[in-house]
Amino acid sequence: MPLPEPVRPSARPAAASPPAQRLAAAHRLLVVTLLGFASGLPLALTGQALQAWMTLEGLDVATIGFLSLVGLPYTFKFLWAPLMDRFDLPWLGRRRGWLVATQLALAGVLWLLSHASPTGALQVFALLAVALAFVSASQDVVIDAYRTDLLPAAERGMGSSLNVLGYRLAMIVSGGVAFIWTDPANAAGGGWTWPEVYRLMAALMVGAALLSATILPKVPRPVMPPTLARHDITGFFAVVAAVAAGYLLTQRLGVPLAGALLGPFLEGTALAPTLQKRWIDLLALLMGIAVTLPLAAWAARRARFHTLLDGLGNYFRQSGAWGFLAFIVLYKLGDAFAGSLMTPFLLKAMAYGSAEVGVVNKVIGLWLTIAGALVGGALMIKLGLWRALMLFGILQMASNLGFWWLAVNGRDVLPGLDLQAFDWGFVSLAQPTRVDGGLLMVIAFENISGGMGTAAFVAFLMSLCNQRFTATQFALLSAFASVGRVWVGPLAGVLAESIGWPTFFVVSTVAALPALVLLWVLRTPVRALEVDPATARGAADD
């Protein structure tokens, strides 16, 4: 039985006056900005901030690379997103109940993680980090769906730019400012520890939950056939069981088989034993994915997980669906390679101080990302979606060569500047900090181009979603978009230690080429997405 079409959130009330319409649009865009902040805050805490914590605790680069797998929930969130499409928590209405629940859960997990140790209890630390990524990915499912349901097509370009604005502001707080707080050389300016930072972020997530409960506009809920509810619940648990079975098969059979296949070859190389083990673990991981995904798909079909199957089926029936999916995986792949181990590269290989990295990479750089996103959103109005994706993708690829230049030439090649001591209340520098000119140049180019690419990319994802299955489809698409960011971590850590940083950044540049080639092939269906269906229908009616 087909699901009924929902009332479109973008439909304007007939009696609304132009000032009321403008006020409602401003409210929607403000909400999108605040939700971008709530989404970006925990992401840095499962990524670069976590890497900085582990780097300062003395963990090796290969181990840090493998611990980037704590972000795996971001790539599998489409498996439980259908439950967030299908069910709503009581009292707060469509989407808002899930938002408040996930934000309070994030506060709790951050508090627990602040009491764990990456060296004293690595396994517990890693499990809590996975739990943090799971709840954060769940919050992203709701935010992405709510934003897509809330914004009319005409507001999506600016909405995606403002989403990046909020997102990057959050990363300035949880990344840049936190790096300054935790710099040992800046002890007189605060001298925070990473556990203290994580406890503060827990308090900020409690504040986000209060805002979500009070200021978010309501979105309509499509009518769901009640007979599907039981199937969705049993289907979800069937998929979870299939994933657990795939994990056990990987541990029991995949790891020994990978060792048998790679062991003889690796024994004849000059790689250290620990690095050889990382290559074997990487092969076992890929084999496990090859087994787990088909097993989960089979379980979903057998259990009649309707919301998942219907949402995915609806997406794959559109023209160019498979090509779009491949493009989504590839578009940020070069960026993901270069950025997956950025913090260890800057702190360990380049020997920059935490405050210098925090100021340049996490504060100045993220402000430049925001500027890039806003400029990108404005340029999209002139360029259109396809040309924006192509131009910004070329700039993203070129920015990776900046890190190659930095790895080859080292620090202090270009004139730098001295950042004077300051005290802004919430953050301070106890003493002047030297900012390397080469680092500033490379980070500026990377963040401006990355912000422009992200704005176009988010608008592209929103244009692919059907509003009956917004959470499911956006979760699927954004999960594939995060494949590079999460899955290249283990490979990046092994490659960086095996081939060296300069060659590693050349590889990251080459990894960006396939997406641009595929975008050229898909130029006709991507350009078709630039047409607003509602506008097209209105023009036809006229």
Side-chain angles (χ1 to χ4, degrees):
M1 152 177 202
L3 297 177
E5 291 285 351
V7 178
R8 292 184 62 84
S10 57
R12 295 179 178 178
S17 63
Q21 292 173 7
R22 288 193 293 270
L23 183 61
H27 185 199
R28 288 193 294 268
L29 294 175
L30 173 63
V31 163
V32 166
T33 307
L34 294 175
L35 291 179
F37 185 91
S39 177
L41 199 71
L43 181 63
L45 300 174
T46 62
Q48 293 189 345
L50 201 68
Q51 289 183 358
W53 187 355
M54 292 185 290
T55 299
L56 294 177
E57 292 283 344
L59 273 68
D60 61 90
V61 172
T63 299
I64 294 173
F66 263 84
L67 283 176
S68 68
L69 290 177
V70 302
L72 278 178
Y74 287 103
T75 66
F76 288 111
K77 59 187 177 181
F78 64 91
L79 295 178
W80 64 89
L83 298 182
M84 295 177 161
D85 260 336
R86 183 66 183 82
F87 303 104
D88 292 320
L89 298 184
W91 301 306
L92 293 175
R94 179 74 165 164
R95 310 294 186 199
R96 295 191 301 174
W98 283 114
L99 265 177
V100 173
T102 54
Q103 288 164 350
L104 291 177
L106 278 169
V109 177
L110 284 167
W111 182 267
L112 291 174
L113 189 60
S114 72
H115 292 85
S117 169
T119 53
L122 182 59
Q123 186 174 6
V124 173
F125 184 84
L127 288 174
L128 285 171
V130 170
L132 178 62
F134 172 79
V135 184
S136 176
S138 301
Q139 180 195 223
D140 287 352
V141 167
V142 189
I143 289 176
D144 293 336
Y146 179 83
R147 183 181 65 241
T148 306
D149 289 346
L150 182 69
L151 293 179
E155 295 176 10
R156 286 179 180 171
M158 183 54 66
S160 64
S161 295
L162 291 174
N163 176 73
V164 175
L165 168 65
Y167 180 89
R168 296 295 180 173
L169 283 173
M171 295 186 72
I172 288 175
V173 174
S174 60
V177 174
F179 273 61
I180 297 173
W181 283 337
T182 57
D183 189 346
N186 193 40
W192 288 46
T193 65
W194 279 110
E196 290 172 334
V197 169
Y198 275 67
R199 285 193 284 274
L200 173 63
M201 300 307 157
L204 290 179
M205 290 311 304
V206 172
L210 293 174
L211 288 176
S212 295
T214 54
I215 71 168
L216 267 61
K218 292 183 178 180
V219 294
R221 186 185 193 283
V223 178
M224 297 288 188
T227 55
L228 299 183
R230 177 174 57 85
H231 294 155
D232 283 342
I233 294 173
T234 57
F236 169 72
F237 284 108
V239 169
V240 170
V243 171
Y247 172 78
L248 292 176
L249 286 172
T250 302
Q251 294 298 310
R252 299 289 178 85
L253 300 178
V255 174
L257 181 58
L261 292 174
L262 277 185
F265 171 77
L266 292 174
E267 287 176 359
T269 67
L271 294 176
T274 54
L275 207 51
Q276 292 182 23
K277 185 178 183 304
R278 296 303 182 196
W279 280 108
I280 292 172
D281 290 341
L282 181 60
L283 178 60
L285 175 65
L286 296 175
M287 293 167 63
I289 296 170
V291 170
T292 303
L293 288 182
L295 187 61
W298 175 83
R301 287 193 297 268
R302 291 287 294 177
R304 293 185 290 177
F305 195 173
H306 287 292
T307 305
L308 174 62
L309 297 174
D310 292 347
L312 298 186
N314 177 273
Y315 168 77
F316 284 109
R317 280 193 296 272
Q318 68 179 304
S319 175
W322 286 102
F324 288 151
L325 210 57
F327 172 74
I328 287 167
V329 172
L330 295 173
Y331 190 66
K332 286 286 187 178
L333 189 61
D335 253 13
F337 250 111
S340 59
L341 294 172
M342 185 59 58
T343 301
F345 169 66
L346 295 177
L347 291 178
K348 199 168 184 179
M350 299 300 299
Y352 290 119
S354 292
E356 187 174 11
V357 172
V359 168
V360 177
N361 191 31
K362 303 298 182 180
V363 178
I364 297 175
L366 289 178
W367 277 113
L368 291 172
T369 302
I370 291 168
L374 295 176
V375 170
L379 287 176
M380 282 178 63
I381 299 173
K382 178 72 173 177
L383 295 173
L385 184 60
W386 182 83
R387 287 193 295 172
L389 287 168
M390 178 63 77
L391 175 61
F392 302 161
I394 291 172
L395 293 176
Q396 283 180 162
M397 179 180 69
S399 70
N400 288 351
L401 292 176
F403 293 105
W404 166 81
W405 177 88
L406 195 63
V408 169
N409 292 280
R411 53 189 300 168
D412 300 323
V413 175
L414 298 181
L417 56 91
D418 291 316
L419 185 66
Q420 298 303 312
F422 62 84
D423 187 350
W424 297 342
F426 68 96
V427 63
S428 61
L429 271 179
Q431 55 191 14
T433 297
R434 182 70 176 174
V435 174
D436 180 50
L439 175 65
L440 185 61
M441 177 192 70
V442 171
I443 292 298
F445 185 26
E446 194 272 339
N447 281 272
I448 291 174
S449 62
M452 296 168 76
T454 299
F457 192 56
V458 171
F460 171 69
L461 296 183
M462 293 171 69
S463 70
L464 293 175
C465 291
N466 182 302
Q467 288 187 319
R468 287 186 298 171
F469 311 106
T470 312
T472 302
Q473 292 184 350
F474 206 107
L476 171 73
L477 300 176
S478 59
F480 273 84
S482 68
V483 163
R485 179 173 54 82
V486 175
W487 290 106
V488 303
L491 178 59
V494 172
L495 275 179
E497 289 203 351
S498 301
I499 64 178
W501 288 109
T503 308
F504 170 76
F505 287 118
V506 172
V507 171
S508 75
T509 304
V510 174
L513 279 173
L516 301 180
V517 174
L518 185 57
L519 181 59
W520 177 261
V521 174
L522 295 172
R523 60 190 180 278
T524 299
V526 172
R527 281 172 172 160
L529 297 174
E530 298 174 9
V531 179
D532 183 353
T535 303
R537 285 195 299 269
D541 294 339
D542 294 339

